[in-house]
Amino acid sequence: MGHTLDPKILYDHDLHIHTTLSECCKDSEATPSKIIKRAAALGIGTVGFANHVWDASIPGASQWYVPQNLDHILSIRSQIPEDTQGVNVLVGCESEYCGQGRVGISREAAEQLDFVLLPMSHFHMTGFVVEKWQVANEKAVADLLVQRFLEVIELGLATGIAHPFSPLGFKDSVDAIFLHISDGAFEDCFGRAAELGVSIEIQPNMLPGSLGRETEGFHDASFLRVLSIARDMGCQFHLGSDAHKLSEIGNTMKLKPYLEQLGIPKERFRSFAKLHSRV
Ligand SMILES: [Zn+2]
Ligand SMILES: [Zn+2]
């Protein structure tokens, strides 16, 4: 069943954007000024920079995270042009969660940012985010996704969850992994996220068809199920491209048919962007 989509949702914001300050960004063009210019041309109202961060005040950073500390990602402020061409610019982050309360950002650091995205499923970072035995089979991955989600929303640090339930490192078995998570388990997770006001990200990598990348083991139906439950439980949502290249700014527009299908009320998105706007 389709719904009429208010186009304002699509053009309102993109809150998950990496720049050259993220180690995994290999595009020298992905600078704030070029990203803002492209967003302005596309009509995107708010851009949120969400570079990877592990705050230096918290011990235990992996080698990869060490240089990506708070000072590093805050240096973006000197890169943001004076004239943002009408685009509202937010400086946030994508930090890290390693289980058992181990999170890569302190409360003090979070207060210096406009928003904090916490991922709970960077399961490709074995030996840091997860131990190999914790993700030994699909059922184990499924159980850990639920556990980590429930833990991370309770930390009181996350404005929103980056790519919630996306099992990174297990992209080709998402369908099988989700079969091990009951509707009831998802309802518990999203019901609590709704109570806490922690926002659920919708991004193209969760809906592989949006990028022409459906595989035998990962179909759009998997996250359409998950996001429908989040919608029914009353969650707040935000959109993110998770862009690591300048050309990926605008990828949120590829979510259009999915948002039409999901029919999430517009207020569930707009309140988020307004809440965190400093303008
Ligand atoms: Zn991520
Ligand atoms: Zn990201």
Side-chain angles (χ1 to χ4, degrees):
M1 193 174 64
H3 297 257
T4 321
L5 181 73
D6 187 327
K8 279 182 192 147
I9 294 172
L10 275 178
Y11 293 95
D12 190 55
H13 62 270
D14 176 349
L15 292 186
H16 190 156
I17 298 172
H18 295 272
T19 73
T20 54
L21 291 174
S22 286
E23 291 279 321
C24 49
C25 168
K26 305 294 180 202
D27 179 9
S28 61
E29 302 274 283
T31 59
S33 54
K34 288 191 172 160
I35 289 168
I36 290 164
K37 195 174 164 195
R38 187 170 158 93
L42 291 165
I44 298 171
T46 295
V47 298
F49 294 115
N51 285 307
H52 295 288
V53 70
W54 187 285
D55 181 7
S57 71
I58 299 171
S62 66
Q63 282 306 102
W64 185 75
Y65 269 113
V66 169
Q68 302 181 94
N69 56 33
L70 185 67
D71 287 345
H72 178 74
I73 67 157
L74 285 180
S75 70
I76 200 170
R77 295 222 163 103
S78 63
Q79 301 176 359
I80 295 170
E82 192 109 320
D83 178 10
T84 63
Q85 305 182 39
V87 176
N88 181 31
V89 177
L90 304 180
V91 176
C93 72
E94 177 178 11
S95 190
E96 189 56 87
Y97 183 60
C98 304
Q100 295 181 310
R102 287 208 306 134
V103 64
I105 190 159
S106 67
R107 214 154 294 276
E108 294 70 30
E111 278 164 13
Q112 296 184 55
L113 296 160
D114 293 318
F115 65 92
V116 172
L117 300 182
L118 287 180
M120 34 63 67
S121 55
H122 281 163
F123 292 171
H124 59 303
M125 295 186 187
T126 49
F128 180 55
V129 170
V130 288
E131 297 305 326
K132 276 201 173 127
W133 64 264
Q134 291 179 291
V135 289
N137 56 59
E138 286 154 2
K139 171 81 167 76
V141 173
D143 290 347
L144 196 62
L145 285 170
V146 171
Q147 185 189 328
R148 292 276 171 99
F149 183 91
L150 287 169
E151 288 172 4
V152 82
I153 59 174
E154 296 292 340
L155 296 172
L157 286 164
T159 317
I161 305 303
H163 45 73
F165 291 97
S166 296
L168 274 74
F170 299 88
K171 267 193 178 161
D172 288 326
S173 37
V174 173
D175 297 348
I177 289 165
F178 283 8
L179 289 178
H180 292 282
I181 307 178
S182 68
D183 286 358
F186 279 126
E187 284 163 12
D188 290 345
C189 288
F190 291 125
R192 186 66 184 139
E195 276 173 18
L196 294 166
V198 176
S199 164
I200 300 305
E201 181 168 282
I202 306 179
Q203 64 144 289
N205 292 312
M206 294 158 68
L207 294 152
S210 71
L211 301 169
R213 288 187 203 147
E214 271 194 323
T215 64
E216 221 163 283
F218 185 14
H219 292 88
D220 289 337
S222 277
F223 270 102
L224 284 171
R225 170 182 166 232
V226 173
L227 293 169
S228 313
I229 297 172
R231 173 201 64 206
D232 293 346
M233 296 309 291
C235 285
Q236 286 192 304
F237 294 88
H238 68 268
L239 302 183
S241 59
D242 207 354
H244 284 71
K245 292 178 194 162
L246 180 62
S247 62
E248 290 171 351
I249 302 297
N251 271 7
T252 46
M253 306 304 170
K254 296 178 179 171
L255 296 168
K256 185 171 184 261
Y258 304 92
L259 295 176
E260 277 170 351
Q261 190 174 336
L262 286 163
I264 297 163
K266 163 173 92 173
E267 311 74 58
R268 301 265 201 94
F269 292 94
R270 289 199 311 187
S271 56
F272 180 91
K274 272 189 184 155
L275 187 64
H276 298 281
S277 165
R278 283 190 169 173
V279 172

Tab-separated table of all heavy atoms in Angstrom, residues 16 18 52 94 119 122 162-163 168 242, ligand 1:
chain	number	residue	atom	x	y	z
A	16	HIS	N	23.977	12.310	8.191
A	16	HIS	CA	25.075	11.337	8.333
A	16	HIS	C	26.032	11.515	7.153
A	16	HIS	O	25.935	10.811	6.151
A	16	HIS	CB	24.507	9.915	8.408
A	16	HIS	CG	25.524	8.876	8.794
A	16	HIS	ND1	25.179	7.677	9.381
A	16	HIS	CD2	26.878	8.839	8.676
A	16	HIS	CE1	26.271	6.958	9.608
A	16	HIS	NE2	27.323	7.638	9.178
A	18	HIS	N	30.144	12.032	6.088
A	18	HIS	CA	31.570	12.004	6.415
A	18	HIS	C	32.323	12.973	5.496
A	18	HIS	O	31.935	13.162	4.345
A	18	HIS	CB	32.128	10.589	6.254
A	18	HIS	CG	31.536	9.609	7.222
A	18	HIS	ND1	32.060	9.405	8.480
A	18	HIS	CD2	30.440	8.806	7.138
A	18	HIS	CE1	31.320	8.501	9.120
A	18	HIS	NE2	30.318	8.122	8.323
A	52	HIS	N	33.755	10.055	12.109
A	52	HIS	CA	34.051	9.052	13.139
A	52	HIS	C	34.876	9.676	14.248
A	52	HIS	O	35.814	10.429	13.982
A	52	HIS	CB	34.849	7.887	12.542
A	52	HIS	CG	34.095	7.091	11.526
A	52	HIS	ND1	33.062	6.245	11.876
A	52	HIS	CD2	34.213	7.002	10.180
A	52	HIS	CE1	32.589	5.664	10.772
A	52	HIS	NE2	33.260	6.107	9.734
A	94	GLU	N	29.846	10.470	14.423
A	94	GLU	CA	29.486	9.058	14.545
A	94	GLU	C	30.568	8.471	15.460
A	94	GLU	O	31.722	8.360	15.066
A	94	GLU	CB	29.496	8.346	13.180
A	94	GLU	CG	29.201	6.845	13.302
A	94	GLU	CD	29.145	6.114	11.938
A	94	GLU	OE1	29.522	6.701	10.918
A	94	GLU	OE2	28.737	4.933	11.937
A	119	PRO	N	26.673	4.121	16.431
A	119	PRO	CA	26.425	2.844	15.773
A	119	PRO	C	26.444	1.761	16.848
A	119	PRO	O	27.030	1.955	17.905
A	119	PRO	CB	27.610	2.706	14.825
A	119	PRO	CG	28.725	3.412	15.524
A	119	PRO	CD	28.096	4.502	16.382
A	122	HIS	N	29.093	-2.142	14.284
A	122	HIS	CA	30.311	-2.161	13.450
A	122	HIS	C	31.013	-3.495	13.689
A	122	HIS	O	32.156	-3.538	14.138
A	122	HIS	CB	31.231	-0.986	13.810
A	122	HIS	CG	30.820	0.325	13.215
A	122	HIS	ND1	31.288	1.532	13.680
A	122	HIS	CD2	29.983	0.629	12.178
A	122	HIS	CE1	30.759	2.528	12.955
A	122	HIS	NE2	29.969	1.997	12.050
A	162	ALA	N	23.111	5.227	14.284
A	162	ALA	CA	23.577	5.117	12.898
A	162	ALA	C	23.281	3.708	12.384
A	162	ALA	O	23.521	2.728	13.089
A	162	ALA	CB	25.075	5.395	12.827
A	163	HIS	N	22.751	3.643	11.181
A	163	HIS	CA	22.385	2.363	10.538
A	163	HIS	C	21.984	1.278	11.560
A	163	HIS	O	22.661	0.249	11.689
A	163	HIS	CB	23.498	1.863	9.614
A	163	HIS	CG	24.897	1.944	10.183
A	163	HIS	ND1	25.337	1.094	11.160
A	163	HIS	CD2	25.922	2.779	9.929
A	163	HIS	CE1	26.585	1.400	11.472
A	163	HIS	NE2	26.960	2.425	10.744
A	168	LEU	N	27.345	-4.905	10.028
A	168	LEU	CA	28.495	-4.670	9.152
A	168	LEU	C	29.441	-5.862	9.214
A	168	LEU	O	29.700	-6.407	10.288
A	168	LEU	CB	29.208	-3.359	9.521
A	168	LEU	CG	28.598	-2.124	8.832
A	168	LEU	CD1	27.271	-1.737	9.444
A	168	LEU	CD2	29.555	-0.946	8.864
A	242	ASP	N	25.126	8.621	4.763
A	242	ASP	CA	26.393	7.953	5.122
A	242	ASP	C	27.401	8.168	4.002
A	242	ASP	O	28.201	7.282	3.682
A	242	ASP	CB	26.188	6.458	5.417
A	242	ASP	CG	27.243	5.897	6.377
A	242	ASP	OD1	28.195	6.636	6.720
A	242	ASP	OD2	27.122	4.731	6.778
B	1	ZN	ZN	28.879	3.375	10.669
